[in-house]
Amino acid sequence: MPALAIIPSEIVKLFRERFHSNSEPGVYRAPGRVNLIGEHTDYNLGYVFPIALEMACYAAIAPAEHGRLRVYSRDLNETYEIEASAIAHAKPQHQWSDYVIGVACELSKAGIEITPADLCVASEVPTGSGLSSSAALEIATAVALLGSQSMSKLDIALLGQRAESQFVGVPCGIMDQYASVFGREQAAIQIDCRSLQHEYVRLPDDVSIVAVNSMVKHELGTSAYRERVAECQEAVRAIQTVNPNVQSLRDVSPGFFEQIQNSIPEVPRRRARHVISDTQRVLDLAAAARARDLPGMGRLFVASHRSMQHDYEISCEEIDFLVDTAIDIPGVYGARMTGGGFGGCTVNLVAPEAADTFRQYLHTAYLERYGKDAAFYNCKPAAGAGRMDVSG
Ligand code: GLA
C-alpha cells in the first residue's frame, strides 16, 4: 500500500524550480476522504460518516510581483494564470483550474483580497476514485490563499462547496469539503448535514479500513448525480402532499416512510428509501463502532451497498464484483462502494491479520475478470487541512 508520496520539502523544491524563485513558500495540506456510510445523504440534509485520509493535496504559495495568480499543477504539468484583479469576475474554463479559481473567486466574494501570487499544487488523492480529490484541491487552495487571514473552519468548508457547485457546476453536498477541513486522527466524523455540526467517533482498533480502487469511472457520473438530486426533490414534493411540513428527506423517519411510500412514484420512492435508510445506517454504524461490534458494522456496510446497487442505482458491474468477492474472503466484515458512484473505490472492513490475503486474493480475482490492476489504500483517519511545518 503506498506510503505518503509527497513531503513538504519536495513541494518547496518544485515550487522554486517551476517559478524560478528563491522564496520560502508557505505549504498547506488538505486531505481526501473515504466515506464509511451515508451516501448521497448530504444534499438531503441527512448524516454522513467519512474519515479524512493521509492522502492529501499540497499547495505551496508565495506572493509575487507580476500582478497575476499563477497556478502550476504538478499532476497535469500545466500552468494557468489570471490577473489577480480579474478573479472576482472570473468565468469557468471547464478544466482543472476551475477548482482553484472557483475558490479564489468565492474568497474574493467573501471579502478576502486575492493578491498576486504563485501557487503550486500537487496531490496524492487519485482522481475519479471517489476519494474526493476535488475537495482536497479546493480546500488546499482555500487555506493557502487565506494564509494567516482567519476564517472559521465551517466557512472554509462551505466556501469550497460553493466553488464546486457554483463555479465548477456540480451540485454537490457538503460532505467532502467538511471532511477535508474537520478530519481528525483515529476518528470518523459523524456529520449532521442539516445543523452542520459533527461528532467524532473513535473507530475500533482491531479493524483495517481498506479502500480498493476499481480503476474505472463511468462517464455517467455528473449527469446521474444531477438526476439523483432531482429525483430526491421529486420524492419530497410527493411526500409534501401527505405532510406539507416535510422540507427534505431528512424530515422523513423510516417508520413514516413505510406508511406513506405508496404516495411516491416508483423511481423517486426507491431513491428516497435509499437516502432515508442510509441516514439511519450512519447512526447505527456509529453505535456499532462505539460498541466495537465489527460483524454489526460489516452487515451495515453490505446493507448500504445493496441499497446503492438496487434502490439508488449508482453502482456498476466492476464495483459489485469487488464487493461480492470481498465479502466472501475470510476476515472481511463488510464492503461497500464509497463516494458518488459509477466506479471509483469500495471501502472494506478487514481484520488486520487478514489484510494481506484480502489484498492478494482480490487483486488476482479482479485482474482475471477485468484485466485491471486494482489499487489498495490503507485508510488511517488523518487530520484535516492546515499549514505544514517545512523546517524539518
Ligand atoms: C460526491 C459529492 C458529495 C456526496 C457524495 C455521495 O462525493 O461531492 O457531496 O454527495 O458524492 O455521498
Side-chain angles (χ1 to χ4, degrees):
M1 301 192 195
L4 280 192
I6 299 173
I7 51 171
S9 59
E10 280 173 16
I11 193 164
V12 170
K13 189 162 161 259
L14 184 65
F15 177 95
R16 290 191 181 138
E17 279 165 15
R18 185 49 51 175
F19 295 122
H20 309 290
S21 147
N22 289 321
S23 52
E24 277 302 332
V27 178
Y28 297 81
R29 166 190 174 276
R33 62 99 189 96
V34 63
N35 188 26
L36 298 186
I37 209 155
E39 220 66 76
H40 288 259
T41 48
D42 58 356
Y43 53 81
N44 289 296
L45 309 187
Y47 291 103
V48 291
F49 201 62
I51 59 179
L53 297 174
E54 288 179 322
M55 286 190 288
C57 179
Y58 294 81
I61 190 164
E65 302 291 322
H66 46 53
R68 296 172 309 240
L69 176 63
R70 197 158 58 152
V71 194
Y72 171 68
S73 156
R74 175 203 69 165
D75 309 326
L76 298 168
N77 191 22
E78 277 181 30
T79 303
Y80 180 81
E81 35 186 274
I82 178 170
E83 290 299 322
S85 57
I87 283 173
H89 310 288
K91 295 277 171 291
Q93 305 294 308
H94 310 290
Q95 57 164 8
W96 65 275
S97 56
D98 287 351
Y99 295 97
V100 175
I101 305 305
V103 166
C105 185
E106 284 299 328
L107 280 168
S108 137
K109 283 191 203 155
I112 304 286
E113 196 194 346
I114 306 295
T115 48
D118 287 329
L119 173 66
C120 170
V121 292
S123 187
E124 303 163 330
V125 189
T127 53
S129 61
L131 300 181
S132 200
S133 57
S134 328
L137 175 55
E138 288 152 6
I139 300 301
T141 302
V143 287
L145 288 174
L146 275 166
S148 56
Q149 303 176 83
S150 76
M151 182 177 273
S152 79
K153 284 183 165 192
L154 181 57
D155 283 340
I156 296 175
L158 287 166
L159 189 138
Q161 182 201 17
R162 281 202 303 279
E164 181 141 353
S165 59
Q166 291 174 21
F167 201 86
V168 179
V170 180
C172 66
I174 187 65
M175 167 168 67
D176 305 349
Q177 294 80 6
Y178 199 111
S180 187
V181 169
F182 285 96
R184 176 175 286 186
E185 284 169 16
Q186 295 180 331
I189 320 163
Q190 182 187 313
I191 307 167
D192 178 335
C193 301
R194 185 164 57 187
S195 70
L196 296 178
Q197 294 188 337
H198 65 272
E199 232 177 277
Y200 291 111
V201 178
R202 206 191 148 113
L203 297 170
D205 296 325
D206 48 348
V207 67
S208 301
I209 298 166
V210 185
V212 180
N213 192 342
S214 66
M215 298 297 184
V216 298
K217 183 74 196 170
H218 295 290
E219 272 316 312
L220 231 63
T222 311
S223 60
Y225 194 94
R226 287 178 206 291
E227 216 173 86
R228 296 298 178 278
V229 172
E231 288 162 348
C232 290
Q233 286 162 351
E234 197 185 332
V236 169
R237 284 194 297 275
I239 298 168
Q240 281 170 339
T241 62
V242 187
N243 181 347
N245 295 328
V246 167
Q247 299 295 315
S248 72
L249 291 179
R250 169 62 182 276
D251 298 327
V252 184
S253 68
F256 182 59
F257 178 74
E258 280 300 313
Q259 290 167 27
I260 55 93
Q261 55 172 314
N262 289 336
S263 56
I264 315 172
E266 209 262 329
V267 172
R269 183 196 315 152
R270 284 192 287 118
R271 306 301 190 237
R273 184 162 58 212
H274 164 73
V275 170
I276 292 162
S277 62
D278 229 33
T279 280
Q280 181 60 43
R281 278 188 286 269
V282 171
L283 303 177
D284 296 345
L285 190 76
R290 288 193 176 100
R292 309 191 170 279
D293 173 9
L294 293 170
M297 291 174 72
R299 281 192 296 275
L300 289 162
F301 263 44
V302 177
S304 174
H305 185 74
R306 298 302 173 218
S307 174
M308 291 190 285
Q309 183 180 4
H310 302 301
D311 276 346
Y312 221 62
E313 295 180 288
I314 49 169
S315 188
C316 62
E317 197 191 315
E318 296 88 343
I319 290 284
D320 291 339
F321 178 87
L322 285 174
V323 167
D324 293 335
T325 310
I327 57 180
D328 280 342
I329 301 172
V332 175
Y333 295 107
R336 60 182 291 279
M337 191 195 74
T338 184
F342 305 100
C345 283
T346 62
V347 56
N348 302 260
L349 292 178
V350 186
E353 62 279 10
D356 284 344
T357 327
F358 164 75
R359 190 171 67 231
Q360 282 154 19
Y361 185 85
L362 194 56
H363 183 267
T364 308
Y366 192 64
L367 187 62
E368 276 171 8
R369 181 78 168 77
Y370 291 104
K372 283 186 195 304
D373 272 309
F376 291 72
Y377 314 112
N378 202 0
C379 301
K380 235 172 87 196
R387 189 176 175 131
M388 306 213 56
D389 181 6
V390 282
S391 54

